[in-house]
Amino acid sequence: MKIAFVGKGGSGKTTLSSLFIRHLAADRAPVVAVDADINQHLGAALGLDEEETSALPAMGAQLPLIKNYLRGSNPRITSAETMIKTTPPGEGSRLLRIGEDNPVYDACARPVELDGGAVRLMVTGPFTESDLGVACYHSKVGAVELCLNHLVDGPGEYVVVDMTAGSDSFASGMFTRFDMTFLVAEPTRKGVSVYRQYKEYARDFGVCLKVVGNKVQGPDDVDFLREEVGEDLLVTFGHSGWVRAMEKGRPPRFGLLEEHNHQALRTLRETADGSYGLRDWQRYTRQMVHFHLKNAESWGNAKTGADLAAQVDPAFVLDERWATSPQPA
């Protein structure tokens, strides 16, 4: 299952995504966690210290390796240089599986031990001062989008992505790459403003969207959120002494998280798992192609000097049957 956590800056989406990742790890579920936010905090939220966090390899820096691996023997992709963030897979492409070992994970993922289990953590890399004026953060996040486009995952497997704040993910088609999107909202007018943007943008693409209320202090906050987002409100999180201790770098055992927050995490997982039955791989592939053609026309063809529409394999549909097919040499 591919799951995104989104929300405005400061809403607590990184904290809640880290709690959800811990919840999955405690059940020994296979998890790939991805920090795709412009502010890289997921590693710290999962318990890494500053030195460990700074040592994480940046996916953006490994983009040539990622492209060379994923294109495989696909004859429609003549070189890694002609691949862009939206390039879809086709016959001969190499695909990513959650639990396998491959050169992309070797270069970009690092294991994070959590009490109860372990996850693979991947990060886009921070947007540094040297990038200003010469780079766009979406070029770094493009490595994540390319990997999602080539991912085949099944039930009981999870990719959890802490997305960039606000509505920045709509700069590409990455917002359509998920089975479930959890939008973290505080009970304030600003807190629900991103929800309205997401709801509007996602309406035509079949995006499964649920709101997770955070920093909720009482029934009045719940009532406010319910009035603003209606039945999209799934669950709420309140004050947590466990989270406060975690933010100080002294997290107790995860089992000591407050029971009402454990129950909220169980609800998130049940909802994510329930979206599996709504999967439509043909629609997923069509959307992938749609955004690739759009990006090719607007900037990709000019940047690469190639007709990127020719990369589309009209007979190819990404689905789970590829998970058991042998990879091209």
Side-chain angles (χ1 to χ4, degrees):
M1 307 301 294
K2 296 178 284 290
I3 300 159
F5 279 79
V6 301
K8 79 173 186 65
S11 64
K13 68 179 179 59
T14 297
T15 297
L16 293 191
S17 62
S18 73
L19 290 179
F20 186 64
I21 290 164
R22 288 177 185 269
H23 170 75
L24 296 173
D27 280 351
R28 302 294 198 275
V31 180
V32 175
V34 183
D35 192 343
D37 195 353
I38 191 169
N39 299 304
Q40 303 269 279
H41 296 313
L42 184 58
L46 291 174
L48 300 186
D49 60 30
E50 188 173 335
E51 183 178 352
E52 291 170 323
T53 301
S54 63
L56 293 170
M59 294 178 71
Q62 298 295 333
L63 199 51
L65 179 149
I66 293 171
K67 290 180 177 181
N68 271 310
Y69 178 75
L70 295 180
R71 76 185 185 97
S73 59
N74 187 336
R76 296 175 179 272
I77 304 174
T78 56
S79 68
E81 288 71 28
T82 61
M83 288 184 79
I84 61 174
K85 62 183 180 180
T86 54
T87 295
E91 192 72 36
S93 295
R94 291 194 185 97
L95 304 175
L96 300 176
R97 284 88 170 191
I98 299 295
E100 70 178 0
D101 294 320
N102 60 52
V104 174
Y105 292 153
D106 290 344
C108 301
R110 293 296 179 267
V112 176
E113 299 292 332
L114 301 170
D115 53 342
V119 302
R120 279 173 163 155
L121 174 62
M122 305 171 75
V123 303
T124 59
F127 191 61
T128 64
E129 189 173 330
S130 62
D131 291 319
L132 295 175
V134 296
C136 170
Y137 184 70
H138 299 116
S139 66
K140 293 178 179 284
V141 179
V144 179
E145 185 169 359
L146 200 55
C147 287
L148 290 174
N149 280 357
H150 289 74
L151 178 72
V152 282
D153 58 305
E157 300 177 322
Y158 300 89
V159 174
V160 181
V161 183
D162 180 19
M163 297 280 280
T164 190
S167 56
D168 280 0
S169 59
F170 290 104
S172 72
M174 197 159 79
F175 72 99
T176 66
R177 303 295 85 200
F178 301 99
D179 297 292
M180 176 58 62
T181 297
F182 292 127
L183 190 146
V184 180
E186 300 169 81
T188 64
R189 288 198 296 178
K190 285 186 177 179
V192 298
S193 62
V194 174
Y195 161 77
R196 293 197 183 93
Q197 289 178 300
Y198 243 90
K199 187 76 171 178
E200 181 66 26
Y201 291 146
R203 180 173 288 118
D204 296 332
F205 294 95
V207 172
C208 292
L209 178 68
K210 289 295 181 182
V211 173
V212 180
N214 194 30
K215 305 178 186 179
V216 171
Q217 297 183 11
D220 184 64
D221 285 347
V222 177
D223 290 343
F224 173 82
L225 287 169
R226 185 74 67 188
E227 290 171 5
E228 294 294 326
V229 308
E231 63 183 16
D232 284 340
L233 180 63
L234 177 64
V235 73
T236 63
F237 286 80
H239 171 77
S240 171
W242 192 98
V243 169
R244 180 59 60 89
M246 180 269 290
E247 290 173 341
K248 293 176 180 177
R250 301 193 296 268
R253 288 188 304 105
F254 184 63
L256 297 177
L257 180 73
E258 300 84 3
E259 177 54 31
H260 65 276
N261 287 330
H262 270 301
Q263 181 55 51
L265 292 170
R266 287 191 285 270
T267 299
L268 293 185
R269 184 175 182 180
E270 290 166 3
T271 303
D273 288 346
S275 69
Y276 177 77
L278 303 175
R279 277 190 167 186
D280 182 342
W281 285 103
Q282 294 217 13
R283 182 183 68 186
Y284 188 83
T285 304
R286 284 198 306 271
Q287 290 175 345
M288 193 188 312
V289 169
H290 166 78
F291 283 103
H292 178 61
L293 295 177
K294 186 175 180 180
N295 278 264
E297 183 177 352
S298 64
W299 62 270
N301 290 344
K303 182 176 181 179
T304 63
D307 177 12
L308 300 185
Q311 294 179 341
V312 176
D313 183 343
F316 184 87
V317 175
L318 186 70
D319 64 40
E320 287 170 59
R321 67 190 172 93
W322 297 108
T324 55
S325 300
Q327 294 274 44

